[in-house]
Amino acid sequence: MRLLLQQGYEVAVVDDLSRGYRHNVPPGCLYQLSLVETNALTELMRQTACEAVIHFAGLISVGESMREPERYLANNVGGSLSLLTAMVQAGVKHLVFSSTAAVYGNPHTTPILESFPIQPVNPYGESKVMVETMLRWFDQIHRLTNISLRYFNASGADPEGRLGEEHEPETHLIPLVLRAVMTGEPATIFGNDYDTPDGTCIRDYVHVDDLAQAHILAVEHLLGGGASDQFNVGTGTGHTVLEIIRAVEEVTGKKVPYLWGARRDGDAASLVAASGKLRGKLGWNPKYTGLSTIVEHAWNFASKGGRRS
Ligand code: UDP
């Protein structure tokens, strides 16, 4: 939202605040609605003369989805269907959708191309596949053009330290490792026997500002008459969990206390993007590709106690 406003767009934010916070949105921009309130969404889109929607409103934890699949299907799939229905009712023709690398499941090789088989290994990934499938039909039947951005590991924070990760409960690696540094309570590494150089999982960590910029490029592509498509959003470089811990130690100058735990259900060993399609077709050019910058920005936010305190 910050980048959209900076780049001259008018923005209305819809959030039911079940996982988000009012303080992250400038006053006057927030409409507290749930995605399942189809007619209220239609009305809002009509009132605001909405031209395009960016749909981030999903539950995002692999582990939680393995315990409560029904919740993921109801929210991520049912909520998206309601939103798409509202868009059709209001005549809004363009959507950018937050999808995930989890649509690929456990790919046989990396880096992962967008053309790789879609075979999720957890209900979270499956819920995103189902929405991508719906989107194909909404394009074909209603001419609702759309871009699915398959996020790899969104990380870092606003470089100025005003916005950062605030999940409750927190499940993501970098904020948990930073918390371990601050509290002395050990972080847990999920598994040390993966088929990777140090036995811990490999992920492709992409800075949240670069991820945000990908959304703007996608909106502009669609508003300019571009066709529906799917893109990976990752840097093309993978890091193991132990490499993250070392980067946190370097940035903070402190030892990270950690324990070894069991593998987390639903985790793939290695997820690294092939990022050439997004760079080539939409001109994406990430600014913050180094792990140390990502960790520095996350630390800058976390060490101030996050925004809420
Ligand atoms: N991870 C970990 N301990 C934690 C949280 C995450 O070892 O407390 C690992 C997890 O198994 C995965 C990587 O860190 O390999 C990134 O996990 P995260 O939940 O941040 O993102 P995901 O890859 O699930 O989207």
Side-chain angles (χ1 to χ4, degrees):
M1 159 161 213
R2 183 173 50 74
L3 286 191
L4 282 168
L5 291 173
Q6 273 169 12
Q7 295 181 28
Y9 289 94
E10 284 178 50
V11 185
V13 175
V14 172
D15 197 320
D16 64 3
L17 299 182
S18 58
R19 306 266 167 135
Y21 302 101
R22 190 181 293 280
H23 61 237
N24 285 328
V25 182
C29 296
L30 179 68
Y31 297 84
Q32 192 175 346
L33 287 173
S34 159
L35 277 196
V36 296
E37 295 177 76
T38 315
N39 292 336
L41 291 177
T42 306
E43 193 49 37
L44 178 65
M45 287 187 226
R46 285 195 182 125
Q47 272 172 16
T48 54
C50 174
E51 287 178 83
V53 172
I54 305 181
H55 173 25
F56 304 99
L59 297 172
I60 57 164
S61 297
V62 167
E64 186 182 46
S65 83
M66 294 295 286
R67 295 187 298 273
E68 296 180 80
E70 55 286 354
R71 196 160 171 183
Y72 275 67
L73 295 170
N75 186 83
N76 292 6
V77 184
S80 297
L81 179 57
S82 168
L83 172 64
L84 288 169
T85 305
M87 289 178 69
V88 171
Q89 287 176 177
V92 180
K93 290 294 189 189
H94 310 295
L95 177 92
V96 176
F97 173 58
S98 304
S99 187
T100 173
V103 300
Y104 300 111
N106 257 312
H108 291 304
T109 57
T110 57
I112 301 166
L113 289 161
E114 285 84 350
S115 53
F116 273 26
I118 298 299
Q119 40 196 23
V121 293
N122 51 63
Y124 165 64
E126 186 72 74
S127 73
K128 298 287 182 175
V129 173
M130 288 177 177
V131 177
E132 288 197 14
T133 304
M134 292 197 299
L135 288 173
R136 290 195 171 86
W137 292 109
F138 276 76
D139 181 339
Q140 189 173 317
I141 296 166
H142 293 299
R143 299 275 171 260
L144 195 163
T145 61
N146 57 79
I147 298 276
S148 292
L149 294 176
R150 295 176 180 159
Y151 297 11
F152 282 65
N153 287 63
S155 51
D158 161 28
E160 269 116 59
R162 294 160 303 192
L163 298 164
E165 286 194 69
E166 295 180 68
H167 302 119
E168 207 42 68
E170 187 53 76
T171 60
H172 290 115
L173 180 65
I174 294 177
L176 285 174
V177 171
L178 293 173
R179 193 179 286 179
V181 166
M182 290 187 291
T183 63
E185 285 290 314
T188 303
I189 301 183
F190 298 141
N192 62 1
D193 57 353
Y194 285 97
D195 185 16
T196 62
D198 64 23
T200 65
C201 288
I202 294 176
R203 293 289 182 272
D204 182 335
Y205 294 86
V206 54
H207 193 289
V208 65
D209 258 36
D210 290 324
L211 181 60
Q213 189 57 32
H215 292 75
I216 295 183
L217 294 170
V219 167
E220 286 172 351
H221 167 85
L222 295 173
L223 289 173
S228 297
D229 212 336
Q230 299 81 37
F231 295 93
N232 290 337
V233 194
T235 64
T237 303
H239 297 284
T240 66
V241 175
L242 283 175
E243 284 171 346
I244 297 294
I245 288 184
R246 276 196 293 276
V248 167
E249 291 182 335
E250 268 162 39
V251 167
T252 63
K254 296 179 184 168
K255 275 304 252 187
V256 173
Y258 66 84
L259 306 168
W260 292 105
R263 288 183 174 201
R264 184 173 65 179
D265 274 354
D267 261 346
S270 178
L271 293 172
V272 179
S275 61
K277 186 175 174 186
L278 184 62
R279 293 172 196 262
K281 277 197 160 178
L282 298 191
W284 186 62
N285 185 18
K287 279 200 272 187
Y288 304 109
T289 48
L291 192 54
S292 57
T293 316
I294 287 176
V295 172
E296 250 167 55
H297 291 171
W299 175 237
N300 190 17
F301 179 77
S303 59
K304 288 189 202 139
R307 177 72 182 267
R308 273 171 294 166
S309 57

